[in-house]
Every structure is written in C-alpha cells, then in structure tokens.
Amino acid sequence: MLSPAVATMTIATSCRWRPLPAEVDCSWLMFGSVVKNPGMMAAWLPHVLLVHAVVAGCLVPLSPAVVWVDPFAALSVALGSTYRIQVAPPLGLAIDAGSAVLLKISPLLAALSTAMGAWGLADVLAPLRGPGREDAVSVMATVCRGPLLWLLSGLLHGTGAAWAATRTSSAELRFAAVLGAEAVGAAQRERPVLPLTARLHPLLFPYKAFEIQQEDVPGGATVDMWPLQPGGGDAARPIFFFVHGGAWRGGNSRMNPSCLLLHRLSMRGWQVCAVNYRKRRWPQHIEDCGAALRFVLGRAPAEQDGEPLRVVVGGASAGGHLAALLASQPEFAPALRGAVLLYPALDPADDMQQFLPWPFGPSTIRWFFQLVVLRGNRDFWDEAKPLAQITPAFPPCLAVHGELDGLAPVVVSRAFFAGLAAARSCPRDFLVEVPGAKHSFEVGGGPMNRVVLDGIVAWLRPIEEQIS
C-alpha cells in the first residue's frame, strides 16, 4: 500500500487542479477518448491520492500488518494539504466545504500538531542517549512514521493560517479597487450588530427571532418575507429577491450561509424575499423562482415615489445559476436594476470543459445535471444555460467568486462577464475574485465574510440612493 504521507505530500505540492485540454471529448461514452487523452485519467490523480491518504489513515489501526505510519498524523497531513488546492467534483465538494471550516481553526491544529511532533520526537530519540543505544536506522524510521508527519502537519496548518490572514486584506484591496475605497469604507462603518449565534456560525442564524413570514406562492413555491425595518415608507423600499443554492437538489431559504447578506440588507431597509423552490425535476426550479418573483412584484407598488419599481435578484451557487436565468427573462427586465451572484454555477452542461470527466463518459457536472436535475430530458438543456441566455437587457451584475472554487470554476464567471460585455456596455458590471476562497466560502465565517458583505453593500448603494 502507498504511504499516506507520500500521497498527501504529493497533493500538497503538485495537485492543484488544472482545466482539461480543449480537445478532450466529454460528450461521448467512448474508451477511445481515454486512450487519446491520458490527461483525462491524470486529472483524477488528486482524488485517488487524497482518498487513499484518508482511507489508509483510518484503516491502518485495523490491520497490524500495515502499521508503519501514525494514522492520525497522516490524516492531519491530508487535511492540512487541502487549503490551497483546487479539486473538481466529486471530491471537490468535500474539500471546499471542509477546508473552509478547518482553515478557521488552523492555528489550533498547527499548535497541536507541532506539540505532538515535538513530544514524539523527544520520546523516540531518548534511547539514543541511553546506555543501550538502538540502531539509528530503526530510530529514524520510527521518526518518519510518526513525529515527522506531525511536524509536517504543523507546518501545513501553520502556513495555512498565515495565508488565511493575508487573504482578508487582499480581498479588501480588490473590492476597494473595483468599487472605490470610500464606498467600501462607508459600508464597513455601517455594519449592523449580528445576533450572538450568527457570530459563532452563519448556519446558526436565529430566524425565529426576526419573525420572518413565509408566504405560499401558487404552483408550489414559498417565499420568506423578511420584516420591514423602521424608517421610510413601505413604498420606498428596494427589493432584494434571493435564490438559495444546494446543487439544485437540496438547501432551503433558512439553511444557507448567505443569511448574513439577507440580514444585512434587511437592516438597511431593503424588502428582502427568499424563495423556496421545488427540486424534483427541471424546469420546476426556474418556474417556481419565476412565479415567486411575479408574486413579490405583484405585492409591491407599481411605482416607488414616482420611480419605476427597483428590484435586485441574487443567488448563490445553484441559486446563482437560477438568478442569472431570471435576470435574462424579458418580462422582468423593466423592474430589475441589478443581479448579485455568489460563486454561481453558470455552466451545468460543462460546455467550457472545466470539470473532471468520468473515465468512460461525460463530465461529472454534466452527468449529474442531466441525470439528477433534468432527469434525462435533453430537451431542456438550452433553457438551462445562462451563458446562452445573455441579452442586452441583462441588468448590471456583480459576481463574487472564489479563486480556488472547485465546484464552480471562476473561469466560467469570467466567460459570463465577457458575454455581458459583448452584449451591452455597462460600467457597473464587476467580477470580484476572492483570493484563496473556495465554494461556499461563507461557511468558514470570520472576517472574510464581512469584507465580502461590505463589497456587496457598496455596490448596491447607488440603487438604495435612487429609491430613498
């Protein structure tokens, strides 16, 4: 069996995922494509190595015959090696979600790993100083099996913690460069006080304390209507319509890390609405989102202080995909004044060939969307592609995307904004790439979330000023 240490060190040093060559054919179920494109199989190497490291580390204690590494040290090295790698699905799902949480406690993991390594090193080297010296080769072998791995783990977690500290300041500079330091600074000064549980983790947000009303929408969807905060008349409220993510199959409006964005906009006086849509089979997703948006528009005044209705649609991940499709529909164009997309999954068909292919078939994301979302109905593919739905009427757009996103590669968002620029000229189109961030980066909490929210608020401020 390969050493977990060898596997994890290989990942840590050389396994940042790269896009597949353009000539890789991801649409045909052919063994020939594997033979002609060895890179297709090589792209799976990070998955194989990391799975091996974790599984071997867990199974070593069950088999004395292979107890030649410390399984917990090997597992810690495997975890520490995930911070700065970009791995596509299917393993990218676990890496992106897990590394965001681990990065938050990386200083603690670094200290514990270093202490374990130092303690183990002192214990192993003690016989060399005694009268009955052991063979130096066997001692060094023991060092490599445990203490050395712990020290390597401490190094990986420690460098990850130092890297995480620099990411926040880098993100602040990027938002300031795009939106203006004054606008971002004003958003920082206007940060509301978060509920205590939400400070611990976004998914612990106390929805019940805010008396959010859930309204039924004809057709099967529901909409969470956040309460209007005091100040200003109801007719002057900007509307933020949010679509949650969850891989088109899970999630809901009250179980997603974007709740901090909704809370912040609600406290600023926005009428915040979050849709819960059916997920059994496409096109239920987009039909329910459209019905919910019509429901919200139908309840709002036709005009706000003499001005046409102002609405911003937003979404995260799969919700970003659905929000982009909503923003492309002509019937909503008169009311929409903006779109906010968080790490949107804009290429479910993998037309840009950015995802891992199965060894004998289509790419993982295309296979998933066709089988699980479309339920095999290929006739709906065209209407499910935001990249093909861009029109000159698309509203101004802000997208926030992690540079190391393994589930929705940022290169797709770049192509989307290139398409927007080709369709119409809009000075308020911005794609902000968050340094070192992965998919659903809000799950980790911390200062990075606040920086991103400051940027979004700064971008939305002109819309607030138009209405207020």
Side-chain angles (χ1 to χ4, degrees):
M1 174 169 30
L2 263 174
S3 165
V6 174
T8 49
M9 283 189 288
T10 304
I11 294 170
T13 57
S14 64
C15 287
R16 177 171 177 175
W17 175 74
R18 303 291 184 186
L20 291 171
E23 64 270 15
V24 175
D25 183 0
C26 297
S27 60
W28 295 96
L29 197 64
M30 295 174 61
F31 177 76
S33 62
V34 179
V35 176
K36 295 177 181 178
N37 298 281
M40 181 181 292
M41 295 299 292
W44 282 89
L45 183 61
H47 294 68
V48 174
L49 290 179
L50 191 58
V51 168
H52 164 81
V54 175
V55 173
C58 294
L59 294 183
V60 159
L62 304 180
S63 179
V66 294
V67 178
W68 53 290
V69 293
D70 186 323
F72 298 105
L75 185 58
S76 185
V77 171
L79 295 176
S81 69
T82 64
Y83 294 138
R84 290 193 251 185
I85 63 174
Q86 180 186 18
V87 179
L91 193 59
L93 177 62
I95 289 179
D96 279 18
S99 65
V101 177
L102 288 174
L103 200 58
K104 192 173 183 179
I105 60 173
S106 55
L108 175 62
L109 296 176
L112 291 176
S113 297
T114 304
M116 288 290 294
W119 174 77
L121 195 63
D123 186 58
V124 171
L125 296 181
L128 290 179
R129 297 189 296 267
R133 294 184 178 182
E134 295 186 7
D135 178 52
V137 174
S138 64
V139 172
M140 291 308 298
T142 305
V143 169
C144 293
R145 294 169 190 167
L148 191 61
L149 282 182
W150 279 117
L151 292 175
L152 175 61
S153 170
L155 178 63
L156 289 172
H157 290 297
T159 55
W163 171 68
T166 63
R167 293 189 314 152
T168 302
S169 58
S170 298
E172 288 180 346
L173 292 175
R174 291 193 182 184
F175 276 106
V178 169
L179 303 171
E182 183 177 349
V184 174
Q188 291 174 345
R189 293 188 294 270
E190 296 167 355
R191 290 174 179 173
V193 178
L194 283 176
L196 178 60
T197 55
R199 297 180 205 174
L200 298 175
H201 196 276
L203 295 182
L204 298 178
F205 188 87
Y207 287 93
K208 292 183 179 180
F210 285 84
E211 300 181 353
I212 299 171
Q213 301 295 320
Q214 188 173 84
E215 302 283 351
D216 293 328
V217 177
T222 61
V223 177
D224 280 351
M225 307 290 291
W226 285 60
L228 296 173
Q229 299 300 318
D234 292 351
R237 303 288 179 146
I239 298 174
F240 188 78
F241 182 86
F242 184 77
V243 186
H244 69 81
W248 300 279
R249 292 292 294 171
N252 60 65
S253 61
R254 302 192 187 188
M255 184 57 70
N256 69 85
S258 300
C259 59
L260 299 184
L261 171 61
L262 306 186
H263 168 259
R264 186 154 180 180
L265 294 182
S266 176
M267 298 301 291
R268 293 183 64 84
W270 287 70
Q271 171 63 76
V272 174
C273 312
V275 60
N276 284 298
Y277 50 91
R278 292 172 297 166
K279 307 172 183 70
R280 181 177 178 83
R281 180 174 183 168
W282 190 273
Q284 288 179 340
H285 312 66
I286 190 63
E287 288 178 348
D288 282 2
C289 290
L293 184 53
R294 293 185 200 98
F295 176 81
V296 170
L297 295 178
R299 291 179 47 140
E303 291 188 347
Q304 298 183 345
D305 289 348
E307 295 291 333
L309 191 65
R310 301 292 202 271
V311 180
V312 174
V313 295
S317 189
H321 164 263
L322 296 171
L325 291 176
L326 282 179
S328 301
Q329 296 184 12
E331 71 169 295
F332 301 125
L336 294 183
R337 292 298 177 266
V340 176
L341 309 180
L342 303 177
Y343 42 89
L346 297 172
D347 189 18
D350 195 21
D351 290 331
M352 295 186 62
Q353 297 186 339
Q354 292 297 306
F355 292 84
L356 279 179
W358 291 111
F360 308 106
S363 68
T364 49
I365 184 67
R366 184 181 181 92
W367 172 86
F368 171 83
F369 197 88
Q370 182 169 299
L371 181 67
V372 178
V373 182
L374 298 184
R375 295 298 181 95
N377 193 333
R378 300 171 183 265
D379 295 337
F380 291 125
W381 263 124
D382 288 341
E383 67 182 54
K385 297 179 180 180
L387 291 171
Q389 305 293 328
I390 297 174
T391 67
F394 199 95
C397 184
L398 170 69
V400 182
H401 213 131
E403 284 183 336
L404 296 182
D405 195 324
L407 296 182
V410 67
V411 66
V412 179
S413 285
R414 294 172 191 159
F416 182 77
F417 274 78
L420 289 178
R424 82 282 190 277
S425 177
C426 180
R428 283 180 42 77
D429 282 344
F430 297 113
L431 168 61
V432 181
E433 300 182 16
V434 183
K438 298 189 178 183
H439 203 71
S440 297
F441 51 79
E442 311 106 312
V443 172
M448 182 64 78
N449 279 6
R450 294 190 288 272
V451 170
V452 171
L453 294 182
D454 291 337
I456 295 174
V457 168
W459 186 83
L460 290 172
R461 186 181 298 276
I463 299 176
E464 293 180 359
E465 293 174 349
Q466 290 176 8
I467 302 172
S468 59

PDB file of all heavy atoms in Angstrom, residues 243-264:
ATOM      1  N   VAL A 243     -32.224  33.658  -4.258  1.00  0.00           N
ATOM      2  CA  VAL A 243     -32.437  32.240  -4.589  1.00  0.00           C
ATOM      3  C   VAL A 243     -31.309  31.431  -3.940  1.00  0.00           C
ATOM      4  O   VAL A 243     -30.128  31.662  -4.241  1.00  0.00           O
ATOM      5  CB  VAL A 243     -32.432  32.009  -6.116  1.00  0.00           C
ATOM      6  CG1 VAL A 243     -32.811  30.567  -6.430  1.00  0.00           C
ATOM      7  CG2 VAL A 243     -33.385  32.979  -6.809  1.00  0.00           C
ATOM      8  N   HIS A 244     -31.655  30.527  -3.062  1.00  0.00           N
ATOM      9  CA  HIS A 244     -30.629  29.751  -2.347  1.00  0.00           C
ATOM     10  C   HIS A 244     -30.019  28.674  -3.248  1.00  0.00           C
ATOM     11  O   HIS A 244     -30.586  28.294  -4.273  1.00  0.00           O
ATOM     12  CB  HIS A 244     -31.241  29.091  -1.098  1.00  0.00           C
ATOM     13  CG  HIS A 244     -32.223  27.996  -1.407  1.00  0.00           C
ATOM     14  ND1 HIS A 244     -31.839  26.715  -1.729  1.00  0.00           N
ATOM     15  CD2 HIS A 244     -33.580  27.990  -1.445  1.00  0.00           C
ATOM     16  CE1 HIS A 244     -32.903  25.963  -1.931  1.00  0.00           C
ATOM     17  NE2 HIS A 244     -33.987  26.713  -1.781  1.00  0.00           N
ATOM     18  N   GLY A 245     -28.859  28.183  -2.843  1.00  0.00           N
ATOM     19  CA  GLY A 245     -28.188  27.106  -3.557  1.00  0.00           C
ATOM     20  C   GLY A 245     -28.445  25.758  -2.908  1.00  0.00           C
ATOM     21  O   GLY A 245     -29.293  25.617  -2.040  1.00  0.00           O
ATOM     22  N   GLY A 246     -27.674  24.772  -3.343  1.00  0.00           N
ATOM     23  CA  GLY A 246     -27.853  23.415  -2.823  1.00  0.00           C
ATOM     24  C   GLY A 246     -27.796  22.362  -3.899  1.00  0.00           C
ATOM     25  O   GLY A 246     -28.443  21.323  -3.786  1.00  0.00           O
ATOM     26  N   ALA A 247     -27.035  22.621  -4.965  1.00  0.00           N
ATOM     27  CA  ALA A 247     -26.845  21.660  -6.059  1.00  0.00           C
ATOM     28  C   ALA A 247     -28.164  21.296  -6.733  1.00  0.00           C
ATOM     29  O   ALA A 247     -28.318  20.171  -7.214  1.00  0.00           O
ATOM     30  CB  ALA A 247     -26.132  20.397  -5.568  1.00  0.00           C
ATOM     31  N   TRP A 248     -29.116  22.218  -6.768  1.00  0.00           N
ATOM     32  CA  TRP A 248     -30.410  22.039  -7.431  1.00  0.00           C
ATOM     33  C   TRP A 248     -31.256  20.928  -6.800  1.00  0.00           C
ATOM     34  O   TRP A 248     -32.338  20.631  -7.278  1.00  0.00           O
ATOM     35  CB  TRP A 248     -30.244  21.732  -8.921  1.00  0.00           C
ATOM     36  CG  TRP A 248     -29.555  22.781  -9.692  1.00  0.00           C
ATOM     37  CD1 TRP A 248     -30.089  23.943 -10.185  1.00  0.00           C
ATOM     38  CD2 TRP A 248     -28.179  22.782 -10.093  1.00  0.00           C
ATOM     39  NE1 TRP A 248     -29.136  24.664 -10.857  1.00  0.00           N
ATOM     40  CE2 TRP A 248     -27.955  23.977 -10.827  1.00  0.00           C
ATOM     41  CE3 TRP A 248     -27.120  21.882  -9.924  1.00  0.00           C
ATOM     42  CZ2 TRP A 248     -26.715  24.292 -11.359  1.00  0.00           C
ATOM     43  CZ3 TRP A 248     -25.887  22.205 -10.447  1.00  0.00           C
ATOM     44  CH2 TRP A 248     -25.687  23.390 -11.156  1.00  0.00           C
ATOM     45  N   ARG A 249     -30.764  20.333  -5.719  1.00  0.00           N
ATOM     46  CA  ARG A 249     -31.489  19.224  -5.105  1.00  0.00           C
ATOM     47  C   ARG A 249     -31.710  19.409  -3.616  1.00  0.00           C
ATOM     48  O   ARG A 249     -32.528  18.717  -3.018  1.00  0.00           O
ATOM     49  CB  ARG A 249     -30.727  17.906  -5.325  1.00  0.00           C
ATOM     50  CG  ARG A 249     -30.694  17.440  -6.761  1.00  0.00           C
ATOM     51  CD  ARG A 249     -32.054  17.019  -7.251  1.00  0.00           C
ATOM     52  NE  ARG A 249     -32.539  15.837  -6.573  1.00  0.00           N
ATOM     53  CZ  ARG A 249     -33.772  15.356  -6.685  1.00  0.00           C
ATOM     54  NH1 ARG A 249     -34.661  16.000  -7.430  1.00  0.00           N
ATOM     55  NH2 ARG A 249     -34.137  14.272  -6.048  1.00  0.00           N
ATOM     56  N   GLY A 250     -30.970  20.298  -2.978  1.00  0.00           N
ATOM     57  CA  GLY A 250     -31.072  20.463  -1.531  1.00  0.00           C
ATOM     58  C   GLY A 250     -31.100  21.922  -1.149  1.00  0.00           C
ATOM     59  O   GLY A 250     -31.242  22.820  -1.972  1.00  0.00           O
ATOM     60  N   GLY A 251     -30.939  22.143   0.150  1.00  0.00           N
ATOM     61  CA  GLY A 251     -30.925  23.502   0.666  1.00  0.00           C
ATOM     62  C   GLY A 251     -32.309  24.103   0.783  1.00  0.00           C
ATOM     63  O   GLY A 251     -33.288  23.582   0.252  1.00  0.00           O
ATOM     64  N   ASN A 252     -32.395  25.200   1.509  1.00  0.00           N
ATOM     65  CA  ASN A 252     -33.629  25.972   1.590  1.00  0.00           C
ATOM     66  C   ASN A 252     -33.275  27.393   2.017  1.00  0.00           C
ATOM     67  O   ASN A 252     -32.119  27.701   2.309  1.00  0.00           O
ATOM     68  CB  ASN A 252     -34.648  25.326   2.546  1.00  0.00           C
ATOM     69  CG  ASN A 252     -34.127  25.208   3.962  1.00  0.00           C
ATOM     70  OD1 ASN A 252     -33.876  26.206   4.632  1.00  0.00           O
ATOM     71  ND2 ASN A 252     -33.945  23.976   4.435  1.00  0.00           N
ATOM     72  N   SER A 253     -34.264  28.243   2.061  1.00  0.00           N
ATOM     73  CA  SER A 253     -34.006  29.661   2.302  1.00  0.00           C
ATOM     74  C   SER A 253     -33.509  29.937   3.717  1.00  0.00           C
ATOM     75  O   SER A 253     -32.987  31.019   3.981  1.00  0.00           O
ATOM     76  CB  SER A 253     -35.289  30.465   2.047  1.00  0.00           C
ATOM     77  OG  SER A 253     -36.320  30.049   2.930  1.00  0.00           O
ATOM     78  N   ARG A 254     -33.652  28.966   4.623  1.00  0.00           N
ATOM     79  CA  ARG A 254     -33.215  29.182   6.000  1.00  0.00           C
ATOM     80  C   ARG A 254     -32.087  28.239   6.400  1.00  0.00           C
ATOM     81  O   ARG A 254     -31.787  28.104   7.590  1.00  0.00           O
ATOM     82  CB  ARG A 254     -34.397  29.016   6.959  1.00  0.00           C
ATOM     83  CG  ARG A 254     -35.542  29.947   6.646  1.00  0.00           C
ATOM     84  CD  ARG A 254     -36.576  29.976   7.746  1.00  0.00           C
ATOM     85  NE  ARG A 254     -37.749  30.742   7.359  1.00  0.00           N
ATOM     86  CZ  ARG A 254     -38.739  31.064   8.173  1.00  0.00           C
ATOM     87  NH1 ARG A 254     -38.676  30.715   9.448  1.00  0.00           N
ATOM     88  NH2 ARG A 254     -39.777  31.759   7.743  1.00  0.00           N
ATOM     89  N   MET A 255     -31.471  27.609   5.443  1.00  0.00           N
ATOM     90  CA  MET A 255     -30.341  26.732   5.713  1.00  0.00           C
ATOM     91  C   MET A 255     -29.281  26.989   4.660  1.00  0.00           C
ATOM     92  O   MET A 255     -28.981  26.154   3.812  1.00  0.00           O
ATOM     93  CB  MET A 255     -30.783  25.262   5.713  1.00  0.00           C
ATOM     94  CG  MET A 255     -29.670  24.274   6.084  1.00  0.00           C
ATOM     95  SD  MET A 255     -28.906  24.589   7.683  1.00  0.00           S
ATOM     96  CE  MET A 255     -30.251  24.151   8.783  1.00  0.00           C
ATOM     97  N   ASN A 256     -28.725  28.192   4.702  1.00  0.00           N
ATOM     98  CA  ASN A 256     -27.660  28.543   3.775  1.00  0.00           C
ATOM     99  C   ASN A 256     -26.842  29.666   4.389  1.00  0.00           C
ATOM    100  O   ASN A 256     -27.368  30.496   5.145  1.00  0.00           O
ATOM    101  CB  ASN A 256     -28.216  28.940   2.403  1.00  0.00           C
ATOM    102  CG  ASN A 256     -28.960  30.249   2.416  1.00  0.00           C
ATOM    103  OD1 ASN A 256     -28.346  31.304   2.292  1.00  0.00           O
ATOM    104  ND2 ASN A 256     -30.287  30.201   2.582  1.00  0.00           N
ATOM    105  N   PRO A 257     -25.546  29.714   4.106  1.00  0.00           N
ATOM    106  CA  PRO A 257     -24.682  30.716   4.746  1.00  0.00           C
ATOM    107  C   PRO A 257     -24.908  32.142   4.273  1.00  0.00           C
ATOM    108  O   PRO A 257     -24.338  33.069   4.843  1.00  0.00           O
ATOM    109  CB  PRO A 257     -23.271  30.230   4.386  1.00  0.00           C
ATOM    110  CG  PRO A 257     -23.439  29.450   3.118  1.00  0.00           C
ATOM    111  CD  PRO A 257     -24.792  28.809   3.224  1.00  0.00           C
ATOM    112  N   SER A 258     -25.738  32.339   3.245  1.00  0.00           N
ATOM    113  CA  SER A 258     -25.999  33.687   2.742  1.00  0.00           C
ATOM    114  C   SER A 258     -26.983  34.456   3.609  1.00  0.00           C
ATOM    115  O   SER A 258     -27.348  35.586   3.284  1.00  0.00           O
ATOM    116  CB  SER A 258     -26.531  33.616   1.304  1.00  0.00           C
ATOM    117  OG  SER A 258     -25.599  33.004   0.455  1.00  0.00           O
ATOM    118  N   CYS A 259     -27.412  33.852   4.717  1.00  0.00           N
ATOM    119  CA  CYS A 259     -28.355  34.539   5.608  1.00  0.00           C
ATOM    120  C   CYS A 259     -27.770  35.852   6.127  1.00  0.00           C
ATOM    121  O   CYS A 259     -28.507  36.808   6.404  1.00  0.00           O
ATOM    122  CB  CYS A 259     -28.731  33.635   6.770  1.00  0.00           C
ATOM    123  SG  CYS A 259     -27.319  33.101   7.770  1.00  0.00           S
ATOM    124  N   LEU A 260     -26.439  35.938   6.258  1.00  0.00           N
ATOM    125  CA  LEU A 260     -25.832  37.172   6.755  1.00  0.00           C
ATOM    126  C   LEU A 260     -26.036  38.314   5.767  1.00  0.00           C
ATOM    127  O   LEU A 260     -26.202  39.472   6.167  1.00  0.00           O
ATOM    128  CB  LEU A 260     -24.346  36.956   7.016  1.00  0.00           C
ATOM    129  CG  LEU A 260     -23.993  35.887   8.057  1.00  0.00           C
ATOM    130  CD1 LEU A 260     -22.494  35.847   8.278  1.00  0.00           C
ATOM    131  CD2 LEU A 260     -24.731  36.128   9.372  1.00  0.00           C
ATOM    132  N   LEU A 261     -26.028  38.006   4.477  1.00  0.00           N
ATOM    133  CA  LEU A 261     -26.307  39.026   3.466  1.00  0.00           C
ATOM    134  C   LEU A 261     -27.756  39.484   3.566  1.00  0.00           C
ATOM    135  O   LEU A 261     -28.043  40.685   3.520  1.00  0.00           O
ATOM    136  CB  LEU A 261     -26.017  38.468   2.071  1.00  0.00           C
ATOM    137  CG  LEU A 261     -26.465  39.334   0.889  1.00  0.00           C
ATOM    138  CD1 LEU A 261     -25.751  40.686   0.906  1.00  0.00           C
ATOM    139  CD2 LEU A 261     -26.218  38.608  -0.431  1.00  0.00           C
ATOM    140  N   LEU A 262     -28.675  38.539   3.702  1.00  0.00           N
ATOM    141  CA  LEU A 262     -30.093  38.897   3.799  1.00  0.00           C
ATOM    142  C   LEU A 262     -30.353  39.728   5.050  1.00  0.00           C
ATOM    143  O   LEU A 262     -31.115  40.714   5.014  1.00  0.00           O
ATOM    144  CB  LEU A 262     -30.945  37.624   3.808  1.00  0.00           C
ATOM    145  CG  LEU A 262     -30.721  36.642   2.643  1.00  0.00           C
ATOM    146  CD1 LEU A 262     -31.735  35.517   2.700  1.00  0.00           C
ATOM    147  CD2 LEU A 262     -30.796  37.364   1.305  1.00  0.00           C
ATOM    148  N   HIS A 263     -29.736  39.349   6.145  1.00  0.00           N
ATOM    149  CA  HIS A 263     -29.915  40.103   7.390  1.00  0.00           C
ATOM    150  C   HIS A 263     -29.383  41.528   7.241  1.00  0.00           C
ATOM    151  O   HIS A 263     -30.036  42.492   7.655  1.00  0.00           O
ATOM    152  CB  HIS A 263     -29.172  39.391   8.525  1.00  0.00           C
ATOM    153  CG  HIS A 263     -29.029  40.198   9.771  1.00  0.00           C
ATOM    154  ND1 HIS A 263     -27.866  40.864  10.108  1.00  0.00           N
ATOM    155  CD2 HIS A 263     -29.918  40.487  10.769  1.00  0.00           C
ATOM    156  CE1 HIS A 263     -28.034  41.501  11.251  1.00  0.00           C
ATOM    157  NE2 HIS A 263     -29.258  41.291  11.673  1.00  0.00           N
ATOM    158  N   ARG A 264     -28.244  41.658   6.617  1.00  0.00           N
ATOM    159  CA  ARG A 264     -27.638  42.985   6.493  1.00  0.00           C
ATOM    160  C   ARG A 264     -28.477  43.904   5.620  1.00  0.00           C
ATOM    161  O   ARG A 264     -28.677  45.084   5.948  1.00  0.00           O
ATOM    162  CB  ARG A 264     -26.232  42.860   5.924  1.00  0.00           C
ATOM    163  CG  ARG A 264     -25.479  44.169   5.906  1.00  0.00           C
ATOM    164  CD  ARG A 264     -24.013  43.946   5.967  1.00  0.00           C
ATOM    165  NE  ARG A 264     -23.276  45.190   5.946  1.00  0.00           N
ATOM    166  CZ  ARG A 264     -21.955  45.277   5.981  1.00  0.00           C
ATOM    167  NH1 ARG A 264     -21.238  44.166   6.057  1.00  0.00           N
ATOM    168  NH2 ARG A 264     -21.339  46.432   5.960  1.00  0.00           N
TER     169      ARG A 264
END
